[in-house]
Amino acid sequence: MAPPRQSPPPPDPQATSLLDRHARAAARRAVWEPLWRECYEHALPQHAGFDPGATPGNRRGDRLFDATAADAVDQLAASLLAQLTPPWSRWMGLTPGPALEDDLAARLSPLLLEASETFHAQIERSNFAVEAHQAFLDVVTGGTGCLLVEEAAPGAPSALRFTAVPLCDLVLEEGEEGRLDHLYRRQRLSLAEMAARVPVERIPEAVKRDGAADPTRRFALVESVMAEGTAWRWRVVLADSDEPVLLSDGRFADMPFIAFRWLKAPGETYGRSPVMKALPDIKTANKVVELVLKNASIAVTGIWQADDDGVLNPGAIRLVPGTIIPKAVGSAGLTPLASPGRFDVSQLVLDDLRARIRHALLADRLAPVDGPRMTATEVLERGAEMARILGATFGRLQSELLVPLVRRCLSILRRRGLVPDIAADGRQVLIRILSPLARAQAQRDAEATLRWLDSVSALGPDALSVVDLPACARFLADAAGVPPVLVRPRPAGPAPEAQDG
């Protein structure tokens, strides 16, 4: 007697709803895909980029003839890493917030300094510099980058582990406040990789059998992280079966996926990149170089004409040194055909296009100085110009990348017991970005303060008496990024009362 036919399990409504919402968000993203594909083909040709079927090291760059954009993109990504999160440098600090009293803030300052030092020590021992550079390549090329911050396995050199998530795997939704409150990541994992991320008991038996029979087989998963109040809900759905299955459902105190954008227009979810702005010039320069190379090949080999005399066979002729070409007696044989055009103007057009590409990608502004040693004033002016150019972009990167990154890392280190139980909420503990780009404006303010002090000193002791020198010293220390533990706290006591004239 045949066994009774088993009916398939009922579909999981949560998994079905999540996949439906992911499909709608992916359909809204589809309008960006042709633009992203062009940007990656011209700026990162050997990168998998947006194309889901591509692999690193593919041959999409066969039709790329000009490498100006690719070189400028690499320089800009390296400059962002050096200006925002420089390796082996202190680019973040923790200071007492305005909600703390002076005596409590004075006692808390050494603990915050120790926590920031622990943070930088963990960052330096991790793979942050490598993965952050890859994320910066995405944000420069496609306008949107993403960095996944996870807790490393016990025994690893660092408690932090970073992964640059490619743009092709991301689907984003924006919340009411303009933040990226909902993120999807679609990826294909083997059974072993799946078991390392989700509970093994929730993996369907059919998937286990198929994965055990073919260890190279990969299954489609959709990972979702959505804001729920002050926490973040994380769910993983198996989308490679007849019915979607919810494999994992949990919560994070801080967003593990740090998605950030170069800039954005009102009403748009995904960011716009400098490569998008320079794309017409990039494509034109590529076409000009292609035509120049074709003209060069014609100039080398030439175009020839021959009489059809029954003796000369043009299909059997190879124009190489030492070739003897037979011809009929009295015929002209092979005669060169003059080229109707000249490409002398192409170099002028190409130089202009390359200059505009490098200007749009900030390669002429953020490049290392190639000249004599600059004075202190020239250094300040260069820093001010850099702050003016990247001011709006830096503000977005600080709010979408740096501050969430620090909070996520501190949450992991606090759970490991490596830093005190402090919350960088902006009221009790402030996060200060101390990267070179953030210090550019502070250094300019410090220079203005020093010039004012010189002018007041020249007026004599009476004018100098109105200056609060300890307060000036604290302001200059703050602008220079001096650790708070090196500066004496303000003396306790009531503030001096104003005297009548």
Side-chain angles (χ1 to χ4, degrees):
M1 185 174 179
R5 186 176 180 180
Q6 295 182 355
S7 59
D12 191 332
Q14 292 189 25
T16 304
S17 174
L18 190 145
L19 289 185
D20 290 343
R21 185 170 178 178
H22 169 264
R24 293 193 298 269
R28 291 191 296 268
R29 190 193 74 165
V31 297
W32 290 89
E33 296 174 3
L35 179 59
W36 286 339
R37 186 172 289 108
E38 283 191 324
C39 289
Y40 277 97
E41 286 178 353
H42 289 86
L44 288 177
Q46 304 303 325
H47 188 271
F50 164 74
D51 191 355
T55 56
N58 59 5
R59 297 179 59 83
R60 291 188 305 161
D62 289 347
R63 303 299 298 172
L64 187 64
F65 300 95
D66 185 74
T68 304
D71 178 67
V73 163
D74 188 53
Q75 289 189 27
L76 180 54
S79 298
L80 287 177
L81 181 65
Q83 295 293 333
L84 292 176
T85 57
W88 314 109
S89 299
R90 294 179 67 253
W91 53 268
M92 184 279 297
L94 299 174
T95 59
L100 296 181
E101 299 180 356
D102 291 342
D103 55 345
L104 182 58
R107 294 197 302 268
L108 188 61
S109 293
L111 296 178
L112 297 181
L113 178 61
E114 183 180 355
S116 62
E117 294 294 338
T118 302
F119 169 85
H120 286 99
Q122 294 291 329
I123 286 285
E124 291 167 3
R125 293 200 299 266
S126 70
N127 61 338
F128 173 76
V130 176
E131 298 297 325
H133 180 260
Q134 297 176 18
F136 285 140
L137 286 174
D138 270 338
V139 78
V140 169
T141 305
T144 305
C146 184
L147 201 61
L148 172 61
V149 187
E150 298 176 290
E151 183 175 355
S158 172
L160 306 173
R161 183 178 63 188
F162 300 89
T163 304
V165 182
L167 182 56
C168 62
D169 295 342
L170 291 177
V171 177
L172 304 174
E173 289 184 355
E174 217 176 35
E176 296 180 356
E177 299 180 359
R179 300 184 307 168
L180 297 175
D181 288 342
H182 202 164
L183 180 144
Y184 302 92
R185 179 173 67 158
R186 186 180 181 91
Q187 54 182 343
R188 302 191 68 87
L189 301 179
S190 64
L191 178 61
E193 294 171 337
M194 190 189 311
R197 296 189 62 86
V198 300
V200 179
E201 62 273 7
R202 304 195 68 169
I203 301 177
E205 294 298 329
V207 174
K208 294 180 181 179
R209 290 195 302 267
D210 295 342
D214 184 8
T216 61
R217 179 174 177 179
R218 294 183 172 272
F219 303 89
L221 274 74
V222 173
E223 193 172 1
S224 168
V225 183
M226 184 192 334
E228 281 192 353
T230 59
W232 300 84
R233 188 175 183 181
W234 172 70
R235 288 176 291 182
V236 180
V237 173
L238 177 65
D240 206 10
S241 59
D242 296 335
E243 297 293 343
V245 179
L246 184 64
L247 298 180
S248 184
D249 190 351
R251 281 175 172 79
F252 287 99
D254 297 279
M255 177 62 158
F257 291 90
I258 314 297
F260 55 99
R261 297 162 289 190
W262 180 266
L263 60 87
K264 65 180 290 291
E268 295 179 348
T269 300
Y270 298 92
R272 293 184 174 269
S273 68
V275 172
M276 295 179 185
K277 180 173 63 175
L279 189 58
D281 289 333
I282 295 172
K283 295 168 67 174
T284 305
N286 189 66
K287 190 64 177 179
V288 169
V289 174
E290 180 183 1
L291 295 176
V292 168
L293 294 176
K294 287 182 178 179
N295 185 70
S297 66
I298 293 174
V300 172
T301 60
I303 301 177
W304 303 80
Q305 58 182 354
D307 293 335
D308 189 6
D309 52 11
V311 176
L312 181 65
N313 181 11
I317 296 175
R318 298 182 61 194
L319 296 177
V320 296
T323 300
I324 299 176
I325 302 173
K327 73 181 187 69
V329 178
S331 68
L334 282 178
T335 57
L337 182 66
S339 177
R342 295 174 59 87
F343 270 70
D344 297 341
V345 72
S346 62
Q347 191 61 40
L348 298 176
V349 175
L350 191 58
D351 289 343
D352 182 60
L353 289 171
R354 286 173 172 171
R356 291 209 300 263
I357 293 171
R358 295 180 64 83
H359 182 77
L361 297 179
L362 305 177
D364 57 344
R365 307 294 183 91
L366 300 180
V369 179
D370 186 12
R373 187 178 182 87
M374 293 191 301
T375 63
T377 304
E378 291 173 340
V379 172
L380 289 174
E381 291 298 328
R382 182 178 172 88
E385 182 182 11
M386 202 162 28
R388 178 180 60 82
I389 294 173
L390 292 178
T393 300
F394 172 70
R396 179 171 295 279
L397 292 177
Q398 179 173 343
S399 62
E400 292 187 354
L401 170 63
L402 299 182
V403 174
L405 174 67
V406 172
R407 287 177 176 170
R408 171 64 176 163
C409 293
L410 289 178
S411 176
I412 294 175
L413 297 179
R414 185 167 60 246
R415 186 164 57 249
R416 282 282 187 96
L418 299 176
V419 297
D421 188 9
I422 54 177
D425 54 3
R427 296 183 301 273
Q428 296 184 350
V429 176
L430 288 173
I431 298 175
R432 295 189 56 208
I433 305 301
L434 306 176
S435 59
L437 192 58
R439 290 181 180 175
Q441 184 60 40
Q443 291 176 355
R444 193 174 181 86
D445 295 340
E447 181 67 18
T449 302
L450 290 175
R451 288 198 301 266
W452 174 72
L453 287 176
D454 291 339
S455 301
V456 171
S457 300
L459 297 178
D462 293 337
L464 193 60
S465 63
V466 303
V467 180
D468 189 349
L469 292 179
C472 287
R474 292 188 180 89
F475 173 77
L476 294 176
D478 184 71
V482 176
V485 71
L486 302 180
V487 181
R488 291 180 179 177
R490 291 178 178 273
E497 298 180 358
Q499 298 180 358
D500 295 336

